[in-house]
Amino acid sequence: MGRRTYEGFAPVWPTRSADPYSDHINTMPKYVVSTTLTSPEWANTQVIDGDVAAEITRLKEAPGEDIVQYGFGPVSQLMLEHDLLDELRLWVHPLILGAGGPSDLLFGAVPATGFRLADATTLSDGLVILSYETDQRLG
């Protein structure tokens, strides 16, 4: 995750426990891409501040479970640029908030990449989770 996502997650998740999902999030290895965060306090968190693409490639090649990246911003854009993103999950909430500009667009300046819908789940509150697998680099 990037530093901004980390700063949103780190104060909240450690206060949750006693359910399998929270315990899993709190005990799993976490990696934060940042040049300003030096001493993360959330358990099992390491900072990536050097060659981010090389480190993500190393993590992907290592044995273990899939890598989950929360948030969508510069880290996701870097992963798209280096063909490191295998699956994209979009959580579509049934509401519109505030205002935005071109810099707030979901993808910004990233390579054109094709995706194939792998799964769609609609929750009882109308939230839709769309899972896409990368299909091909376009153009």
Side-chain angles (χ1 to χ4, degrees), residues 18-41:
D19 69 86
Y21 187 74
S22 296
D23 292 343
H24 176 71
I25 293 290
N26 284 316
T27 59
M28 68 190 279
K30 293 168 280 295
Y31 301 89
V32 181
V33 175
S34 178
T35 57
T36 57
L37 180 67
T38 57
S39 300
E41 297 180 11

